[in-house]
Amino acid sequence: MSTAPEQQHPRVAVVTGGSGGIGSAVARRLAADGMTVVVHHAGRDDRAREVVAAITAAGGTASTEGADVADEVETAALFDRVEAAYGGVDVVVHTAGIMLLAPLAELDLADLDRMHRVNVRGTFVVDQQAVRRLRPGGALINFSTSVTSLAMPTYSAYAASKGAVDAMTLVLARELRGRDVTVNAVAPGPTATPLFLEGKDRATVDRLASAPPLERLGRPEDVAEVVAFLAGPGRWVNGQVVLVNGGVAR
């Protein structure tokens, strides 16, 4: 049973990147907890509609919204539409992000700039809108990565972009003193999503799967369970980057 403050309205959650592997699992999990879920996409509205269809088939309430998370005008308009449709916002889960890998010496700077725009600026823009609108008892959950501490080769630019997310999360939690809004980040380890598996051969996947003591890759549902806790009953967890990686050593 949730220990979040009682409210007269259904809780409303915006999940950016809600059409992706982890994002869709998060959207379905929050809907299972009784939240109205807005499934954001950045162009693949067909995938977002599939997530909404799965939620509504299970008896939940959901809708789709599209926006470029790094565009402050589009993102503000998205939140305006959500507030107009549902009366407010209680939870924002920012899963949207991209991962482009190469050794630092070989990475195309255009890829660095692209990741910075989506992962850093996009987080800043979404967080800005979120904290301006979240109702008391609300939660903002950003997405980081365990790679910031694992220091895996080829991940330098991606890890750097997520290190910025960590910093924003920790500072923002303290800036919201007195608002009754929690701000945390989850940092998944190797998780079996298309984003993670793309471009990796079987030997690499098997090696990464054997790293945790649980000896498997994470599943999107594993991450979604932690998000649901932070979005609901986990009110005393605030200003944290929560590693969700099955126990992979630093």
Side-chain angles (χ1 to χ4, degrees), residues 92-116:
V92 174
V93 185
H94 181 52
T95 79
I98 61 173
M99 181 171 65
L100 305 171
L101 304 180
L104 187 147
E106 300 170 14
L107 183 75
D108 190 318
L109 290 179
D111 288 343
L112 175 67
D113 291 343
R114 184 181 168 203
M115 272 194 292
H116 186 280

Side-chain angles (χ1 to χ4, degrees), residues 194-213:
L195 177 68
F196 173 78
L197 295 172
E198 183 179 0
K200 294 182 174 67
D201 58 30
R202 170 51 58 184
T204 299
V205 172
D206 289 345
R207 176 175 55 80
L208 293 169
S210 68

